[in-house]
Amino acid sequence: MNSPTEKLGAAERWTSEAMQRRVKQRYAAERRFKMFGMAAVGLSVAFLAFLLVNMATNGFSGFFRTEASVTVNFPASDVMVDPASLEGDDARSILSGAGLRGAIREAAVDTYGEAGEELFGGSAVNALTDMLVDDPDMLMREVDIMLPVTSEVDLAHKGDGSAAGEALAALAAERGTIDTKFNWTFLTASDATNPGEVGIWGALVGSFLTIIVTMLLAFPIGVLSAVYLEEFAPKNKWTDMVEVSINNLAAVPSIIFGLLGLAVFLNFMHLPRSAPLVGGLTLALMTMPVIVIAGRNAIKAVPPSIRDAALGVGASKMQVVFHHVLPLALPGILTGTIIGMARALGETAPLLLIGMRAFVSSPPTGIMSDATVLPMQIFLWSDEVDRGFVEKTSAAIIVLLLFMLAMNALAIYLRNRFEQRW
Amino acid sequence: MSLMLATIIILIAVGFAASFARSRVKGLRAGGARLNSLPNYHAAYVFLWGAVPALIFLLVWAPLQAMFVEQAVLATPEGMALPDTGFRPAVLAEAKALATGEISSAFNSDARALAPYFEAAIGRYSMIGAFIAFVVAGLGTFFSMRRVGVNFRARNGVERWVMGLLVIASMVAIFTTLGIVLSLLFETIRFFNLVNPIEFLFGLDWSPQLAIRADQAGSSGAFGSIPLFWGTVFIGAIIAMIVAIPLGLMSAIFLTQYAPARLRSWLKPILEILAGVPTVVYGYFAALTVAPAVRDFALAMGLSNASSESALAAGVVMGIMIIPFVSSMADDSIAAVPAAMNDGSLALGATQSETIKRVIFPAALPGIVGGILLAVSRAIGETMIVVMAAGLAANLTANPFDSVTTVTVQIVQLLTGDQEFDSAKTLAAFALGLVLFFITLVLNLYALRVVRKYREAYE
């Protein structure tokens, strides 16, 4: 049993060639496994990087537009507008009937020859209108100005256009000057049928109004509900049911909330379609459970000693909660709320069902007026056949992603800054 | 508008009453009396009893008033003369807008004729509503003011109100669930009056387009939903999970077992960004970049009829979206496995990967399975990616390069466009929604139970 030879045999078992091969195999398997893990994380991060880079390269050019020089001789043109009449508020309506389009076309033909007719479109008219409102005296003289070209030429100049566009861009570069400038229109305009004239301002205002309605409803209801369930609710069947339905609502597909909004808010309560009010109500029902769950976790994390101390000096249960527990839990609740709001901000499916896919060409004026939101604007533009919309869609996506990243960064900052460990 | 005015008057008047109560109680205190409650509680008590019942009444009254006004207008000779067609609501809405001054001139002559009646009816009913609200507010203020005094426990009264508020807030979730079930159920029953439920649940043919004339082929439309559910399962539960489960699980294992803390603190938020990207962005990415690539790949493999809208493109992108879900659920369940089990295995000479495969993974399995079920439920309810990348053809196919359609795509298709809510086509969307709701409900409840039960086992 304990003879020396057998001991030697045992030692040999650990040093024999077969054993070492096995150990080597095991270490190789270990390395392989670790590599798989690394590859999985790497692949996921690569997907994200590819997505972001893809959107950025597609959309970056959407923030810029191509402009070409043109000489407009107003005294010689058909435009008959008295500069003095442009001082008032109705300057734009006067100019819209003044035949600017024809004047631009004539000037383009003068500068670039017959083919130049196709160079400028509606966005040039809008740009010229803005210039004239700023400086009505331009109407009295011949001016050298830069005007945005049509979306086709714009794409060609950016290196992605059709043959006709390429020819026009070459023409413009040959006979005049052509340049790329920052596209302020994209930030200040609303939806339009022509990709050269579209902007995201209307959608941003719509998103803002919708998210305000969502927050005003979901935050108080969510927090109060979390307070009740965590601090006051008796343990019985009823509160079990509330708890189950909250957990389930947090995981219900968002499109179901769209169906609810359609059936209840539109068909039953006859609220206006496509309005931020209905969008906000629908998203609030969707976001509320997320806030409740975050709120309960934050309240649970407040140590009982704080409650006991407050109760000990004679505070009522209600005062304990609202004067001590809730303020301490607030950073955690806010983190959850911001994450829920970010999700609501990017949500599209439920809004699709309550009619927010409408074409809205001016920013909404209130929560009852027609509106669209940023994700919906992206969806609508992605459906457009015109190739000029591709870069606009990606540019709008960049704006949306920046908002999401900013909100998530704020949530992470709040969590790191205010998280307390007792 | 006059109800709005009544609301403002009530708020201001009751506010004054509350501040009066506060100063009275303050005076008593200055006079040396020992109060049960602070003056602010007395003020709040008066305000709550004065304003809240009246405001609740106004909230209920507003929709009732709209109904009464419409009935009164329709009862007038001009109103009765209106033909009872789909045109009537538009005329009524225009007349109402004209009466309230939202628009300055009406396009429709009937609307112009009805506007004065609207004005009169709105005036009459808002007077009635405002009067009742004033009475309620007055009574509330009067009786609450009478109770204000030295011995009155105003704080308890206020806290009862707050408690009521808390209970109501917690019931919103129940009401929402109830609202979902009832609204879906109601429309689904109407749908089943038009279409046989057996056909809906077990039929293999889906073509909801109704013919214009009754004698055309397929005049009734076909509402067999099996191809939709197959498409949903194929994209959400098969293709997406083939991508998400290995990547998510291995990511979680690497992050919990191998990665140094600093790397982990960077990688985890980066992975979470994947879950935070709006789905419309994924949809656009899938349609613009992934789908053409998949089609080119299929063509290169010799599939001549490759579609630009493929199950594969939508499924892969959805899988990428789900990765952080699977990984964070797996992360949680791995973290819940006691360290002693890990240490014991390592002490016996097992390598880290052997420990993970033989000890940690089996121990964490129920939690991981629960997480995967939640991820599946999320994937089959996902809308935008499939709307933008999966196509509309209801195919019963297992070929990932083929175009399939899903439940959510069809819901969107059926409900955007025409707006009648009595055709089988629009009602079918609610029936699909109901089935989707129940499937995800069962998945969620089961997954939550598995996750919770498992977590308790080690505590």
Side-chain angles (χ1 to χ4, degrees):
Chain A
M1 189 71 188
N2 44 10
S3 68
T5 50
E6 272 195 0
K7 264 184 189 162
L8 199 77
E12 239 166 34
R13 247 177 59 196
W14 294 103
T15 51
S16 73
E17 215 166 280
M19 182 66 202
Q20 273 177 343
R21 207 166 49 239
R22 271 207 304 280
V23 168
K24 219 182 213 162
Q25 270 171 9
R26 286 175 60 203
Y27 282 164
E30 166 75 20
R31 275 195 301 276
R32 256 197 327 270
F33 192 74
K34 190 175 172 180
M35 282 295 294
F36 279 141
M38 245 195 270
V41 177
L43 210 54
S44 311
V45 174
F47 275 134
L48 180 67
F50 180 60
L51 177 80
L52 296 181
V53 170
N54 190 293
M55 289 305 152
T57 48
N58 272 333
F60 186 66
S61 61
F63 292 105
F64 295 91
R65 71 177 178 194
T66 309
E67 297 186 352
S69 66
V70 69
T71 309
V72 188
N73 188 356
F74 281 107
S77 73
D78 296 336
V79 180
M80 297 289 180
V81 176
D82 178 14
S85 70
L86 296 184
E87 302 294 338
D89 291 334
D90 48 355
R92 277 169 201 282
S93 59
I94 293 174
L95 284 171
S96 73
L100 289 179
R101 181 177 284 264
I104 293 174
R105 191 168 295 159
E106 258 171 48
V109 171
D110 286 348
T111 319
Y112 297 103
E114 278 304 316
E117 211 181 34
E118 301 288 314
L119 206 50
F120 300 102
S123 47
V125 177
N126 292 344
L128 186 57
T129 308
D130 289 342
M131 288 180 195
L132 289 175
V133 170
D134 283 348
D135 180 15
D137 289 337
M138 265 166 59
L139 283 166
M140 305 303 287
R141 56 174 197 264
E142 190 181 64
V143 286
D144 247 336
I145 45 177
M146 297 290 281
L147 287 180
V149 297
T150 60
S151 156
E152 203 180 17
V153 184
D154 181 46
L155 284 179
H157 186 243
K158 286 169 182 164
D160 185 31
S162 59
E166 297 280 2
L168 278 170
L171 178 77
E174 189 187 312
R175 304 235 189 129
T177 44
I178 187 162
D179 200 6
T180 307
K181 297 212 171 128
F182 191 76
N183 186 0
W184 286 106
T185 308
F186 185 69
L187 296 183
T188 55
S190 297
D191 202 2
T193 48
N194 175 352
E197 297 167 37
V198 298
I200 52 167
W201 181 245
L204 275 180
V205 174
S207 270
F208 178 73
L209 290 173
T210 307
I211 219 71
I212 290 284
V213 173
T214 305
M215 201 166 72
L216 287 181
L217 286 167
F219 184 68
I221 295 178
V223 171
L224 292 179
S225 175
V227 164
Y228 178 74
L229 290 176
E230 208 51 48
E231 295 284 339
F232 296 103
K235 261 262 158 256
N236 59 24
K237 268 225 141 62
W238 174 248
T239 46
D240 267 0
M241 224 164 85
V242 175
E243 209 159 307
V244 167
S245 64
I246 285 175
N247 283 330
N248 180 55
L249 278 183
V252 162
S254 59
I255 195 168
I256 301 283
F257 287 95
L259 287 171
L260 172 73
L262 177 64
V264 173
F265 300 133
L266 295 190
N267 287 352
F268 182 67
M269 287 163 75
H270 294 291
L271 291 172
R273 291 176 71 78
S274 192
L277 175 68
V278 181
L281 279 167
T282 309
L283 293 180
L285 294 181
M286 202 187 87
T287 318
M288 194 265 302
V290 179
I291 299 178
V292 176
I293 292 170
R296 291 189 65 175
N297 288 334
I299 291 171
K300 212 182 286 180
V302 177
S305 59
I306 303 236
R307 297 181 182 81
D308 295 343
L311 283 172
V313 295
S316 73
K317 182 82 182 156
M318 203 65 83
Q319 285 172 322
V320 171
V321 170
F322 282 95
H323 295 178
H324 300 279
V325 176
L326 207 50
L328 287 170
L330 209 55
I333 300 177
L334 280 181
T335 311
T337 306
I338 292 170
I339 289 170
M341 287 298 142
R343 228 171 81 183
L345 183 73
E347 197 53 73
T348 321
L351 304 182
L352 210 55
L353 296 192
I354 56 160
M356 284 192 113
R357 62 182 284 152
F359 175 84
V360 183
S361 60
S362 58
T365 49
I367 58 168
M368 299 289 263
S369 62
D370 270 9
T372 188
V373 294
L374 199 46
M376 191 57 72
Q377 190 71 79
I378 290 166
F379 178 63
L380 290 174
W381 284 349
S382 75
D383 253 2
E384 295 279 351
V385 217
D386 197 321
R387 290 183 32 157
F389 275 107
V390 172
E391 62 168 21
K392 302 297 177 194
T393 312
S394 301
I397 284 177
I398 294 177
V399 175
L400 181 64
L401 285 178
L402 285 179
F403 269 106
M404 311 300 288
L405 288 179
M407 284 174 94
N408 281 311
L410 181 67
I412 291 174
Y413 170 77
L414 273 179
R415 187 159 59 197
N416 292 343
R417 173 83 176 68
F418 293 105
E419 194 173 57
Q420 288 187 42
R421 298 209 175 275
W422 280 288
Chain B
M1 255 313 108
S2 123
L3 288 186
M4 200 71 197
L5 195 69
T7 310
I8 294 169
I9 293 175
I10 287 174
L11 283 177
I12 292 174
V14 176
F16 270 117
S19 82
F20 174 70
R22 184 167 174 271
S23 56
R24 205 175 86 194
V25 176
K26 250 188 165 163
L28 289 172
R29 197 187 203 184
R34 271 180 64 90
L35 290 171
N36 176 274
S37 304
L38 292 172
N40 278 341
Y41 280 106
H42 287 274
Y45 184 78
V46 170
F47 187 82
L48 286 169
W49 274 109
V52 175
L55 294 186
I56 289 175
F57 168 77
L58 283 176
L59 216 60
V60 176
W61 177 258
L64 282 180
Q65 173 178 319
M67 216 172 71
F68 289 146
V69 166
E70 201 170 302
Q71 274 170 5
V73 171
L74 285 177
T76 60
E78 277 87 346
M80 294 229 233
L82 267 186
D84 190 7
T85 61
F87 197 47
R88 195 162 77 171
V91 175
L92 285 175
E94 202 178 3
K96 192 174 173 186
L98 191 62
T100 51
E102 276 170 50
I103 52 175
S104 50
S105 64
F107 167 72
N108 197 300
S109 62
D110 285 339
R112 278 198 291 276
L114 284 174
Y117 294 111
F118 254 111
E119 212 171 336
I122 289 175
R124 194 166 63 242
Y125 281 108
S126 48
M127 280 296 273
I128 297 174
F131 178 74
I132 300 177
F134 285 139
V135 170
V136 172
L139 286 175
T141 314
F142 178 72
F143 283 109
S144 55
M145 284 288 266
R146 274 181 48 143
R147 305 188 67 178
V148 165
V150 178
N151 289 321
F152 177 56
R153 296 168 180 269
R155 191 179 81 182
N156 298 17
V158 171
E159 286 183 352
R160 264 198 297 281
W161 271 98
V162 177
M163 196 66 189
L165 198 67
L166 293 179
V167 174
I168 290 171
S170 74
M171 278 176 359
V172 170
I174 292 272
F175 283 134
T176 310
T177 309
L178 217 62
I180 288 175
V181 173
L182 287 182
S183 59
L184 294 181
L185 207 61
F186 188 64
E187 307 283 348
T188 304
I189 289 170
R190 283 173 65 193
F191 173 69
F192 284 151
N193 284 334
L194 300 169
V195 174
N196 188 347
I198 309 272
E199 189 210 322
F200 175 73
L201 288 175
F202 302 107
L204 298 180
D205 237 350
W206 178 267
S207 66
Q209 267 61 42
L210 297 177
I212 298 164
R213 289 198 323 272
D215 53 330
Q216 274 176 322
S219 61
S220 59
F223 292 96
S225 62
I226 293 287
L228 309 189
F229 285 101
W230 163 248
T232 308
V233 168
F234 190 41
I235 290 183
I238 299 177
I239 300 178
M241 290 306 136
I242 288 176
V243 174
I245 293 175
L247 286 179
L249 268 185
M250 289 310 291
S251 297
I253 287 172
F254 180 74
L255 288 179
T256 51
Q257 307 292 322
Y258 290 110
R262 267 182 70 89
L263 188 65
R264 181 184 148 86
S265 70
W266 273 100
L267 283 177
K268 222 173 133 67
I270 288 177
L271 277 191
E272 277 164 7
I273 293 178
L274 272 179
V277 171
T279 53
V280 68
V281 176
Y282 279 117
Y284 188 64
F285 179 67
L288 193 80
T289 310
V290 181
V294 166
R295 191 196 46 205
D296 291 347
F297 177 69
L299 288 176
M301 282 201 351
L303 291 168
S304 56
N305 57 346
S307 154
S308 67
E309 291 173 324
S310 58
L312 190 60
V316 165
V317 174
M318 200 186 287
I320 296 172
M321 182 190 88
I322 300 283
I323 290 172
F325 254 118
V326 176
S327 88
S328 70
M329 292 300 280
D331 203 325
D332 287 351
S333 3
I334 290 172
V337 176
M341 287 169 77
N342 182 41
D343 298 347
S345 170
L346 290 176
L348 285 173
T351 63
Q352 184 73 61
S353 64
E354 285 162 350
T355 306
I356 293 165
K357 281 186 272 193
R358 307 266 169 83
V359 179
I360 296 181
F361 186 70
L365 194 60
I368 291 172
V369 170
I372 289 172
L373 287 182
L374 279 179
V376 168
S377 137
R378 175 116 184 166
I380 65 176
E382 169 47 40
T383 312
M384 295 320 290
I385 296 177
V386 286
V387 164
M388 293 166 89
L392 295 173
N395 281 332
L396 260 176
T397 174
N399 175 5
F401 296 107
D402 232 343
S403 161
V404 297
T405 194
T406 69
V407 173
T408 48
V409 170
Q410 288 303 317
I411 293 176
V412 170
Q413 280 302 315
L414 296 171
L415 286 180
T416 51
D418 71 61
Q419 291 308 327
E420 314 158 48
F421 281 92
D422 39 14
S423 77
K425 201 181 145 195
T426 44
L427 293 177
F430 288 92
L432 288 176
L434 187 67
V435 179
L436 182 65
F437 178 75
F438 271 110
I439 292 175
T440 51
L441 177 75
V442 169
L443 273 175
N444 291 340
L445 291 184
Y446 183 68
L448 288 173
R449 255 200 32 213
V450 169
V451 171
R452 189 173 301 168
K453 200 169 170 185
Y454 163 71
R455 269 196 201 133
E456 279 163 5
Y458 287 112
E459 276 166 5

